[in-house]
Amino acid sequence: MNHTDFELIQLGHPHLRRQAEPVTEILSTETQHLLDELLAFVIAKNGVGIAAPQVDINQRLFIMCSRPNSRYPLAPEMAPTFVINPEIIWRSDEVEKGWEGCLSLPGIRGLVPRHQAIKVQYTSRSNEHIEVEYTGFIARVFQHELDHLDGIVYIDRVESTHEIMMEKEWLKQFTNN
Ligand code: NI
């Protein structure tokens, strides 16, 4: 499927609440094509990450591709990272709150507590076993995207309705836009 044919599913769609299935054929043409199209899609949508369930594909994979853009002017720059069958194998005791948005919940932002550091393992798109530690914003993106594979969205983790804002207000108050 071409990325221009993906349907971005939004909060309320029951498929956003499913447990996704492990990926078994990582090197297959279908999976490799899906990864390429998902990257093109998330870049076109100014996301810093996207999980397959958000385009109604029930597989345990996501992409992290943080960089500054109109939705996240202050996001750090990183090479796109394809994450397949991920697990968190260690979490810091330290938890910090940070603002998150999501393509599946357009127009709002929420203040979400996440572990400041995590050690993770996953399979790369070339079928290599990866173990790596992430901190700060990238750790936050990883936890947000992994939640999508388990049917969880970030507002499930927001502690108070006073910590939800419209995106327009957030951009005014927290960036120079
Ligand atoms: Ni999301």
Side-chain angles (χ1 to χ4, degrees):
M1 198 196 288
N2 190 282
H3 71 273
T4 52
D5 299 323
F6 284 152
E7 185 200 355
L8 181 63
I9 63 172
Q10 297 187 344
L11 187 64
H13 193 301
H15 289 180
L16 210 55
R17 296 309 203 162
R18 292 193 291 193
Q19 186 80 15
E21 299 289 335
V23 183
T24 53
E25 305 289 335
I26 292 171
L27 296 174
S28 71
T29 309
E30 289 78 9
T31 300
Q32 294 292 318
H33 179 71
L34 168 61
L35 293 169
D36 291 336
E37 293 303 315
L38 204 53
L39 180 61
F41 185 81
V42 68
I43 288 172
K45 298 288 185 188
N46 284 325
V48 295
I50 191 159
Q54 293 181 269
V55 293
D56 207 7
I57 293 171
N58 196 32
Q59 295 190 29
R60 300 190 73 78
L61 66 87
F62 61 76
I63 297 172
M64 300 194 293
C65 55
S66 175
R67 73 214 171 289
N69 63 43
S70 60
R71 290 180 65 242
Y72 298 94
L74 304 177
E77 183 102 37
M78 73 184 293
T81 303
F82 299 87
V83 177
I84 300 163
N85 298 331
E87 274 179 58
I88 295 176
I89 52 180
W90 173 83
R91 294 164 173 83
S92 64
D93 291 335
E94 188 189 344
V95 167
E96 61 185 13
K97 284 186 177 180
W99 289 97
E100 298 184 16
C102 182
L103 292 171
S104 294
L105 291 75
I108 66 165
R109 295 296 163 100
L111 197 54
V112 185
R114 300 282 186 190
H115 299 280
Q116 195 277 333
I118 50 175
K119 281 189 189 135
V120 307
Q121 61 180 26
Y122 62 90
T123 306
S124 74
R125 69 178 294 174
S126 51
N127 208 21
E128 291 164 317
H129 178 79
I130 308 286
E131 281 191 35
V132 60
E133 182 169 343
Y134 291 120
T135 59
F137 188 73
I138 307 303
R140 174 172 301 281
V141 174
F142 193 101
Q143 292 168 82
H144 175 120
E145 301 306 336
L146 180 56
D147 270 354
H148 277 302
L149 307 185
D150 296 321
I152 298 166
V153 293
Y154 78 84
I155 53 166
D156 299 338
R157 299 191 184 279
V158 170
E159 293 174 337
S160 161
T161 51
H162 292 259
E163 294 175 330
I164 296 175
M165 293 178 73
M166 304 314 290
E167 184 171 87
K168 197 176 153 195
E169 283 298 320
W170 181 83
L171 284 167
K172 264 198 280 187
Q173 292 182 34
F174 292 98
T175 72
N176 295 320
N177 282 34

